[in-house]
Amino acid sequence: MSGRGLFWGSVAARFCRAPAAFTVSRRPLLTSPPSRAFAKELFLGKIQKKEAFPFPEVSRDELNEINQFVGPVEKFFTEEVDSRKIDQEGKIPDETLEKLKSLGLFGMQVPEEYGGLGLSNTMYARLGEVIGLDASIAVTLAAHQAIGLKGIILAGSKEQKARYLPRLASGEHVAAFCLTEPASGSDAASIRTRATLSADKRHYVLNGSKVWITNGGLASVFTVFAKTEVVDSDGSMKDKITAFIVERDFGGVTNGKPEDKMGIRGSNTCEVHFENTRVPVENVLGEVGGGFKVAMNILNSGRFSMGSTVAGMLKKLIGMTAEYACTRKQFNRNLSEFGLIQEKFALMAQKAYVMESMAYLTAAMLDAPGFPDCSIETAIVKVFSSEGAWTCVSEALQVFGSSGYVRDHPYERFLRDSRILLIFEGTNEILRMYIALTGLQHAGRILTARVKELKRGNVTTIMETVGQRLRDSLGRTVDLGLTGKLGVVHPSLADGAHKLEENVYYFGRSVESLLLRFGKTIVEEQLVLKRVANVLINLYAMTAVLSRASRSIRLGLRDHDHEVLLANIFCSEAYHQNLFTLSQLDKHSPENLDELVKKVSQQILEKRAYICTHPLDRAS
Ligand SMILES: Cc1cc2nc3c(=O)[nH]c(=O)nc-3n(C[C@H](O)[C@H](O)[C@H](O)COP(=O)(O)OP(=O)(O)OC[C@H]3O[C@@H](n4cnc5c(N)ncnc54)[C@H](O)[C@@H]3O)c2cc1C
């Protein structure tokens, strides 16, 4: 394998570590959530029904408890938070921060024994819907607890939890997560900040600079990742990343001025510098040399909440936009009477429904006992919701026409605020690679023997495969048990269920072909990996909406017919997208234009310019 191949292989391998080693103390969840990760099995053409059906159920007691938290928070956000002022002044007012603290929102997932609310992931997702109404506040709170203090909850010792969590939960101390550096963004493993053990072995001396740190100017407690020398298993000294809890009061900690950002302007983002900061050895978070795993576990566990946060914002936006469309007249008709405007509402509702369904399904998976590795699912939720936010906000702004483009209205702010979602918490490019590589690695482990036999030319395996492909090409009926006698999908959604089953089956077949065709070199095939990820995102999304809509029908929930419509439209569109994408995965299909695309981009990048001659130029 090439050097670059090794790089990607090791990235996938490092990412693939399951977070099972950590223990978290939180409220027991009374739902009946799925107990194992689901997405990986889709790579094998299988649907683990039990993992995603029925849709997780919340007990009445738990629902009451959630609503008790949600009510006052919703009241505060709708009546008191001035998002326009926050955006214009580039700062969340102190009194707003104080109120957020008094509502307990700085300690949502901190266990109750340390003064927090101890919310489950499901409850956290629900509150996220409300908090998402102001993007600057949502990012500030997420940086504090979803990443800033999360490492202490996941990997901290009893002493570290007792020392830090109470004041972080109350908001007396604000936390920040310091990973990114000027030369180390997506490639987080390449950080240069260094922590050197002092001669008396009682401190690490920390030196380095971090950039783009949310809450960097407000925080007094930082989770910092730095390179440390560790003795490797072969006895040699190696540089490995270690995570540290660093207090501003340790000395040598400074921050730059807040970045002048395009959106989420009220959140504080700045550089943070550490100069000979003495960090006691007791402040190592997790194991020395185990920092990369800590960082990935923090990021993997937090991403799912973007689904409900964005859905909360979109639900509000749909209401505001519908109000306008039903009153603004052009050509003597309300905008709402035009098909092209109506279509935008169906799209926005569909995206909100899908991301909400995936967010709560994933939250329940994370709440399940045993802490299954849901890192693919959480990455899917993040990619889908961030792109859904961008698309929907842009469509909503289009409905408002010119009024959408001015600062007197909030729509341009929504657009500016939502753009960051595709960049931070792992860029969507990196997460697509992660989704595809992690799943392919899982499939590869299970299919190794079969792929080897095929490569060796084992006649029986080859004949079996040829027979299978022949049956596939004739068009087979795929039945993975979603409907019928032991079915889990309601009959009104049978068409969507059959589409999902067919897509899953052929996805599994494609995965096997790709492993056979590329082997380990698949890590270099980003255009292939992107398609693998895109199909998987759709498959998980189809599963989530079918599961949720089936539950809604079963319980006779209000407006379940509307849900069925959304689920059916989504499944049908996703099915056709998947068919096209799967066909593109075949190198010889006319839909696959990869070689042409690569040629164009290579020519541009070689010249670092647009190449075509101006249309008015002449040959002579
Ligand atoms: C407002 C804001 C808040 C932030 N908060 C924090 C924080 O609290 N803590 C923290 O540590 N960091 C934070 N970040 C940093 C953020 O997580 C990084 O900016 C992000 O990880 C991307 O790194 P980068 O900007 O260096 O981009 P790069 O890594 O240079 O990437 C640039 C582009 O290239 C793509 N790319 C990179 N590598 C590959 C590849 N191998 N294959 C294909 N495409 C690739 C990326 O997807 C991206 O589109 C924040 C950033 C912003 C803007």
Side-chain angles (χ1 to χ4, degrees), residues 320-349:
M320 292 159 73
T321 316
E323 185 62 37
Y324 183 79
C326 292
T327 47
R328 163 87 174 160
K329 278 199 163 32
Q330 287 294 287
F331 305 99
N332 287 326
R333 285 154 75 183
N334 286 331
L335 293 182
S336 57
E337 294 173 53
F338 299 115
L340 289 181
I341 297 293
Q342 291 165 355
E343 186 190 30
K344 296 183 196 307
F345 287 94
L347 176 82
M348 288 189 280

Side-chain angles (χ1 to χ4, degrees), residues 4 7-8 139 143 147 176-187 210-216 223 225 259 261 263-264 267-269 299 420 422-431 433 526:
R4 275 172 60 79
F7 159 74
W8 268 111
V139 168
I147 52 177
F177 175 85
C178 299
L179 180 61
T180 309
E181 298 182 4
S184 167
S186 301
D187 182 9
K210 300 288 180 177
V211 292
W212 309 116
I213 304 307
T214 307
N215 297 344
T223 298
F225 298 88
E259 301 291 348
K261 303 191 295 291
I264 52 165
S267 67
N268 174 282
T269 316
L299 291 168
I420 186 61
L422 293 86
I423 299 173
F424 66 12
E425 296 219 23
T427 68
N428 285 11
E429 286 78 11
I430 295 298
L431 289 180
M433 297 302 104
Q526 292 206 339

Side-chain angles (χ1 to χ4, degrees), residues 99-153:
K99 187 71 199 260
L100 294 169
K101 289 173 191 175
S102 71
L103 286 165
L105 298 181
F106 274 71
M108 284 186 272
Q109 287 205 288
V110 174
E112 285 172 292
E113 61 197 287
Y114 300 111
L117 299 180
L119 300 187
S120 65
N121 289 296
T122 302
M123 288 171 152
Y124 182 65
R126 178 67 188 92
L127 268 183
E129 284 183 46
V130 183
I131 291 164
L133 296 179
D134 184 281
S136 292
I137 293 179
V139 168
T140 302
L141 291 178
H144 170 72
Q145 54 206 315
I147 52 177
L149 63 77
K150 192 68 168 274
I152 304 177
I153 297 180

Side-chain angles (χ1 to χ4, degrees), residues 49 53 479-491 501 550:
K49 284 194 289 184
F53 297 93
D479 181 359
L480 301 181
L482 290 184
T483 57
K485 216 172 172 193
L486 297 174
V488 284
V489 173
H490 191 272
E501 290 176 321
S550 295

Side-chain angles (χ1 to χ4, degrees), residues 347-406:
L347 176 82
M348 288 189 280
Q350 198 196 105
K351 296 267 185 208
Y353 187 71
V354 174
M355 61 183 81
E356 202 176 48
S357 307
M358 285 202 286
Y360 282 99
L361 180 62
T362 310
M365 286 180 177
L366 288 165
D367 282 329
F371 302 100
D373 175 10
C374 299
S375 57
I376 300 187
E377 287 85 352
T378 56
I380 289 175
V381 176
K382 193 273 182 180
V383 171
F384 186 93
S385 330
S386 55
E387 291 173 6
W390 181 243
T391 308
C392 292
V393 174
S394 178
E395 288 290 39
L397 190 146
Q398 190 72 11
V399 173
F400 286 95
S402 301
S403 308
Y405 200 66
V406 292

